[in-house]
Amino acid sequence: MIEIIRSSEHYHNEEDWLSTYWHFSFAHYQNPDKMNFGPLRVFNDDIIQPETGFDLHPHRDMEIVTYVIDGELEHRDNQGNHGIIQPGEIQSMTAGSGILQSEYNHSKEKLLRLLQMCIFANKRGLDPSWEQRRFDRAARLNRLLPVIVPENIKNGQALHIHQDAAIYVSSLTPGSRVEHKLAKDRKANVFVIEGKVKLNDNNSIETRDATKVENENRLSIQADGRPAELILLDLLEKYAVNNN
C-alpha cells in the first residue's frame, strides 16, 4: 500500500524569518492523526531567512538527523559542539539524556533550506553525541546512497543512529530508476525534495510530496521527465524503547 501525502496536505507555518512544512504533530500544531510513522516522530522541511534561526532549545531521547539542501547551517550545543553544515551534508545527533542546541543561518544573503527528522531512540538516557559528514552528489547520482544506518551495521561511510532505521538520499537524472527492497515488517517514507518521480510505475509524486509505504516488498523509483532529488527512510513497522 502506498499512501500519498501531497505538499498541500502538510501543515505549513509562515513567519517573517521561517517558512516550514511539518509532516507530523509538532510544537503548537497538535493533530492526533499525525503523531508518528513507526519510530519517525518529526519530519520538518524548513526555509530559514538570512541571519536568523532557532535559539537554544532542548531535545531528549531522540536521534535527530539534519540534511542541508541549500545554504549553510551553523550548529551549536551545550556539549561544546560547533559546526557549519553545507549542502549535501548530514548531521546526526543523539539527544539522549538531554541536549540544548541552536541552529542558525549565518549567511547575510542566502536562504537556508534543510530537512530535519527526529527518530525515537531505542534506549533512553544515552550519552548525547553529535557528528556530521559530507556526501557528494556524485555518490548519490542514480543510486540510493545510505547516509544513516543502525548502530550495529558496519558501514564506513554512513553515520549511525540508535534505532533500527536507515536513511537514503538519491539524485536522479531524467528517466533513471532506482530499486529498494523492503524486508518483512518494514515500511518506508519517501519524500521528493525536488522534481517528480513515479513509485512502482503508477504513483506520481513531485516536489514536497511524501508517501507512506506499507505491506510492499519493493520500491521502484523513476525520475519522471526531469531531474529529481529524494530521501527515503526505511523503518521498523513496530518498535520498542529500552528503558534500562
Side-chain angles (χ1 to χ4, degrees):
M1 181 184 74
I2 298 177
E3 178 187 354
I4 298 174
I5 302 95
R6 299 296 179 190
S7 60
S8 60
E9 297 177 72
H10 303 313
Y11 172 77
H12 181 213
N13 186 48
E14 193 80 30
E15 300 185 32
D16 57 355
W17 66 279
L18 173 70
S19 176
T20 184
Y21 295 81
W22 296 347
H23 295 197
F24 300 102
S25 181
F26 180 72
H28 61 265
Y29 170 58
Q30 296 298 307
N31 186 335
D33 296 324
K34 292 187 176 184
M35 293 304 298
N36 62 287
F37 185 60
L40 177 62
R41 178 63 185 88
V42 170
F43 192 116
N44 293 351
D45 180 359
D46 295 338
I47 296 176
I48 302 172
Q49 294 292 322
E51 298 187 299
T52 61
F54 299 95
D55 293 329
L56 277 174
H57 56 281
H59 292 285
R60 188 181 184 91
D61 292 325
M62 287 283 177
E63 302 294 289
I64 303 170
V65 177
T66 304
Y67 183 39
V68 172
I69 300 166
D70 294 306
E72 295 182 345
L73 171 66
E74 183 175 13
H75 165 94
R76 293 182 186 272
D77 62 46
N78 66 339
Q79 304 295 307
N81 298 308
H82 174 245
I84 305 299
I85 309 165
Q86 299 180 336
E89 283 192 300
I90 294 280
Q91 177 203 71
S92 176
M93 184 172 71
T94 294
S97 58
I99 196 168
L100 292 169
Q101 69 156 343
S102 68
E103 296 155 306
Y104 197 73
N105 179 2
H106 67 173
S107 172
K108 295 181 182 299
E109 55 187 30
K110 292 183 179 179
L111 294 174
L112 165 64
R113 184 185 175 196
L114 60 89
L115 303 179
Q116 189 162 88
M117 295 144 279
C118 295
I119 297 171
F120 287 113
N122 58 15
K123 187 176 181 180
R124 299 187 191 278
L126 293 164
D127 292 334
S129 63
W130 174 88
E131 59 181 337
Q132 70 183 68
R133 188 162 298 164
R134 180 173 177 78
F135 297 91
D136 293 333
R137 181 176 180 272
R140 66 179 187 272
L141 185 63
N142 295 331
R143 64 177 290 231
L144 286 166
L145 174 70
V147 293
I148 296 288
V149 295
E151 58 188 321
N152 62 338
I153 299 296
K154 291 183 178 180
N155 186 310
Q157 186 179 29
L159 301 178
H160 293 79
I161 61 171
H162 302 281
Q163 183 54 267
D164 187 0
I167 299 178
Y168 302 80
V169 294
S170 186
S171 179
L172 300 178
T173 55
S176 61
R177 182 190 298 265
V178 291
E179 302 272 345
H180 182 72
K181 292 183 179 180
L182 281 173
K184 186 180 180 182
D185 298 328
R186 307 289 298 189
K187 53 189 177 182
N189 182 284
V190 180
F191 176 71
V192 180
I193 297 169
E194 199 72 44
K196 184 179 180 181
V197 302
K198 284 186 177 179
L199 288 182
N200 290 0
D201 296 322
N202 58 4
N203 296 278
S204 184
I205 59 174
E206 49 191 296
T207 302
R208 285 203 166 96
D209 289 348
T211 62
K212 295 178 179 179
V213 182
E214 300 181 84
N215 300 316
E216 300 277 344
N217 56 25
R218 73 169 189 97
L219 273 176
S220 171
I221 307 171
Q222 183 176 21
D224 189 9
R226 60 183 187 268
E229 296 278 343
L230 62 96
I231 188 166
L232 183 153
L233 290 82
D234 187 314
L235 305 161
L236 279 171
E237 187 175 58
K238 298 179 181 179
Y239 70 98
V241 175
N242 183 357
N243 291 311
N244 299 319

